[in-house]
Amino acid sequence: MPTTSFAREFTVPADPPACWRVLTDVARLAGWVGILDDVKELSPLESYQAVLMDRLGPFRLRADLDVAVSEVEEPRRIRVRAAGEDRQVSSRIGIDATLQLATGDDGATTVSVAGTYEVVGKVATLGSGMIRQKAAKILDEFTGHAVAALGGR
């Protein structure tokens, strides 16, 4: 499966520092993404570990992820890279995502999440369509929780 891009954007009434506090609270964020489990903070805003568990077609995926924060511009921008492998189904996953906060004239904050992901190995044989649907569902889940937590609609 080739590298696939993603992007989501939403506006909330909270200011950037308030958004930053919520969107960098890793314990809270872990609860927003149903396929993440056992999230561990190794070093705040630097390094984390998590387990990605999901079912894709006939495959039960369980990948240990190493998550590294590569750029931080508090309270405006953060870039995260995650990579992991499920040896049982011979599949790897990689994610590179950037979250940006921008203040509008009305004081509201626009939150943008964009990046790329790649799934290779046996799981990728299911086809990019199924994987894209699953990724879109995860992004929608995350966005919905973020909007609700930050007072948006």
Side-chain angles (χ1 to χ4, degrees):
M1 177 183 171
T3 300
T4 304
S5 297
F6 63 88
R8 293 288 190 282
E9 187 173 279
F10 56 92
T11 301
V12 294
D15 65 3
C19 291
W20 184 263
R21 281 189 299 278
V22 170
L23 296 171
T24 58
D25 180 347
V26 174
R28 182 182 227 175
L29 297 181
W32 293 356
V33 181
I35 65 170
L36 286 181
D37 194 32
D38 198 23
V39 177
K40 292 183 179 124
E41 181 178 74
L42 304 177
S43 181
L45 293 182
E46 286 183 18
S47 179
Y48 303 85
Q49 290 179 332
V51 177
L52 183 145
M53 295 190 326
D54 199 14
R55 186 170 208 53
L56 283 166
F59 299 108
R60 186 176 296 280
L61 184 64
R62 185 185 190 288
D64 296 320
L65 298 177
D66 290 316
V67 182
V69 177
S70 58
E71 299 171 29
V72 176
E73 295 173 30
E74 189 174 337
R76 298 284 177 198
R77 184 173 192 276
I78 188 166
R79 183 174 182 188
V80 178
R81 292 183 177 148
E85 183 175 358
D86 183 325
R87 287 179 174 76
Q88 276 194 307
V89 295
S90 301
S91 296
R92 289 188 324 268
I93 184 168
I95 303 161
D96 185 351
T98 301
L99 179 129
Q100 293 194 128
L101 306 174
T103 308
D105 294 336
D106 59 358
T109 301
T110 298
V111 180
S112 302
V113 181
T116 59
Y117 65 88
E118 182 177 40
V119 178
V120 296
K122 285 185 182 177
V123 170
T125 64
L126 293 172
S128 57
M130 179 182 269
I131 294 169
R132 269 196 299 273
Q133 281 181 326
K134 184 60 129 175
K137 181 181 175 201
I138 293 165
L139 281 166
D140 290 344
E141 192 177 76
F142 171 83
T143 301
H145 285 288
V147 168
L150 296 169
R153 289 174 258 125

